[in-house]
Amino acid sequence: MSATHGNDTAWGAEVELWPESQRDWANLAAGAMFFADAPEAAITKELALVRESMASSGQGAEELFGGPVDYGRGVGRRNRAATQVLEGALPFRNAAGAFTALLAGLGMLLVVLGIWTGFADGWGEDSFAGPVLLLFPLLFVLTAIGVWGWLLRTRGNLRAPWAIWAGVLAGVAGTIALMVFLGGFEPEGPPNWAMPIAGLVLGAIGFKLPQGKDRELVDDAVWDDERYFTRASNLLRGRYLFTRDQAARALAEARGHRAQSTSGTASEEFGNVELFAAQLAAAERTVPKRGILLRRAGFSLIVAFFGFTIGAAYLEGPVTAWLLIQSAMWLCLAVMVVFSWRPTRINAEATARQHERRADARTLAGNDED
């Protein structure tokens, strides 16, 4: 990752052209653009436009464009690559990102569990010994593979994810069977105090790994109409969670128009299929709520499982101070889950998500024009 100050950045030469009194503003704005995922070439271009505006007006950058962070964040978001806009909400967008997310997630889990078991069992104990040492890495790899299947679904591939998820379920069953088979195999594990340190190391390695290049939009220039509209339907269903009927209704007008046209291709008329699907998704008001409900349900199941394990601990006894702390933590989570299911909150989140989709659609329309 490049630094956001000084001359060692891609935009450092441009900053050197600025009046010295304005360079702090330029560096802050450039940093905000960079962390908003703007390409480095776009950062240089935007800074040059601001410098030219200052020269022609005689005013400072803040007088013309406001605070550097807010300006940089807004401009940076508008300059993102199209695939970054389309897949910005995903945990990763390529194999390198998947590996980074895997290491970072596993590291975070080890930190949390290490601290948890340190307080519960003692910092010098080895709570993670025997087959359990294999459990979390295996489950995390399987989880990453499952999320990769979801990523493929968001790109309009609706069949392969089912095969991937079936393989993940088979892997989970195999992992459970392996744990049972190795039940008598009890090598010593690391002390609990070492687990958070190992987690921090894994997280640091994950964030230091180079990120892969963003993919290009799918090349649909020579597709016939049927293939184009089939992919558009799959994108609406996989990426934006339309039902089959909703996708068909959203595409009905475009399909009817193409049925009466004998020239060109659907891509020439409506643009890239991914951008076309994003514009259709931005016009649909009810769909964002479906994804919100699915996420709520998943988190609620996790909290319910957490509560089940705490209840089992009460039955086994004894009741310790640490068990009471766990109960208090679970109670806070349970209250948060209950409040998260309020219709007003869900509707507000769905409205905000739809506004984001419309903003993304405007950004993508600008990218398409370029």
Side-chain angles (χ1 to χ4, degrees):
M1 182 178 293
S2 303
T4 56
H5 297 280
N7 297 328
D8 57 343
T9 60
W11 55 87
E14 167 59 33
V15 173
E16 289 297 316
L17 300 176
W18 281 53
E20 189 170 354
S21 61
Q22 298 291 314
R23 289 178 185 172
D24 284 343
W25 192 98
N27 279 316
L28 286 172
M33 286 186 241
F34 180 78
F35 286 109
D37 289 330
E40 293 182 345
I43 297 174
T44 301
K45 177 183 176 182
E46 294 294 342
L47 290 179
L49 291 175
V50 174
R51 177 172 54 81
E52 292 168 3
S53 297
M54 290 192 300
S56 61
S57 67
Q59 295 177 289
E62 188 147 5
E63 295 175 280
L64 291 171
F65 300 100
V69 175
D70 289 340
Y71 171 80
R73 186 184 298 116
V75 171
R77 288 180 62 83
R78 290 196 299 271
N79 277 281
R80 289 174 295 167
T83 52
Q84 286 183 319
V85 179
L86 291 168
E87 300 177 345
L90 297 175
F92 49 79
R93 299 188 292 269
N94 50 45
F99 194 61
T100 295
L102 178 64
L103 286 181
L106 181 57
M108 184 179 300
L109 179 65
L110 291 180
V111 169
V112 172
L113 290 178
I115 294 174
W116 187 283
T117 55
F119 281 111
D121 302 336
W123 294 100
E125 298 295 324
D126 56 343
S127 301
F128 296 91
V132 178
L133 290 173
L134 299 174
L135 179 63
F136 292 109
L138 287 175
L139 290 181
F140 250 83
V141 169
L142 291 171
T143 300
I145 295 173
V147 176
W148 183 260
W150 179 258
L151 175 62
L152 293 179
R153 182 177 172 83
T154 67
R155 293 179 180 175
N157 190 335
L158 301 186
R159 293 181 180 178
W162 290 108
I164 291 173
W165 295 333
V168 168
L169 289 177
V172 171
T175 299
I176 295 173
L178 179 63
M179 295 300 105
V180 173
F181 178 75
L182 296 176
F185 180 63
E186 294 291 343
E188 293 185 1
N192 290 335
W193 61 262
M195 301 298 285
I197 297 175
L200 290 174
V201 171
L202 284 178
I205 293 174
F207 284 113
K208 287 293 184 179
L209 290 175
Q211 298 299 305
K213 293 182 179 179
D214 289 311
R215 68 178 181 88
E216 299 293 330
L217 291 171
V218 63
D219 185 5
D220 55 9
V222 297
W223 290 3
D224 59 29
D225 287 2
E226 185 57 33
R227 184 179 179 185
Y228 181 92
F229 287 120
T230 298
R231 176 59 70 89
S233 176
N234 289 348
L235 286 168
L236 290 173
R237 293 170 58 196
R239 180 175 292 166
Y240 302 105
L241 299 182
F242 278 50
T243 64
R244 187 188 297 272
D245 290 340
Q246 286 175 323
R249 287 196 298 270
L251 291 168
E253 183 178 352
R255 279 184 178 273
H257 182 76
R258 284 300 303 169
Q260 300 174 4
S261 177
T262 58
S263 62
T265 64
S267 180
E268 290 174 344
E269 185 162 355
F270 302 118
N272 180 274
V273 65
E274 295 191 72
L275 304 184
F276 176 59
Q279 301 300 325
L280 294 177
E284 176 60 55
R285 295 182 178 180
T286 60
V287 172
K289 188 178 293 186
R290 186 172 295 113
I292 293 169
L293 293 176
L294 287 174
R295 288 191 293 271
R296 290 279 199 284
F299 185 69
S300 298
L301 287 175
I302 293 173
V303 173
F305 177 76
F306 184 26
F308 175 79
T309 59
I310 291 177
Y314 272 104
L315 293 176
E316 294 175 1
V319 177
T320 63
W322 178 239
L323 184 58
L324 294 175
I325 293 173
Q326 293 180 51
S327 302
M329 294 169 62
W330 179 84
L331 184 60
C332 291
L333 286 174
V335 170
M336 185 175 69
V337 166
V338 170
F339 275 91
S340 73
W341 281 100
R342 289 182 303 167
T344 54
R345 186 166 181 177
I346 292 173
N347 290 333
E349 190 172 335
T351 300
R353 182 69 188 104
Q354 189 61 17
H355 288 162
E356 290 176 6
R357 283 187 177 178
R358 290 173 180 168
D360 288 345
R362 289 192 293 270
T363 299
L364 291 167
N367 287 345
D368 199 24
E369 292 171 2
D370 293 340

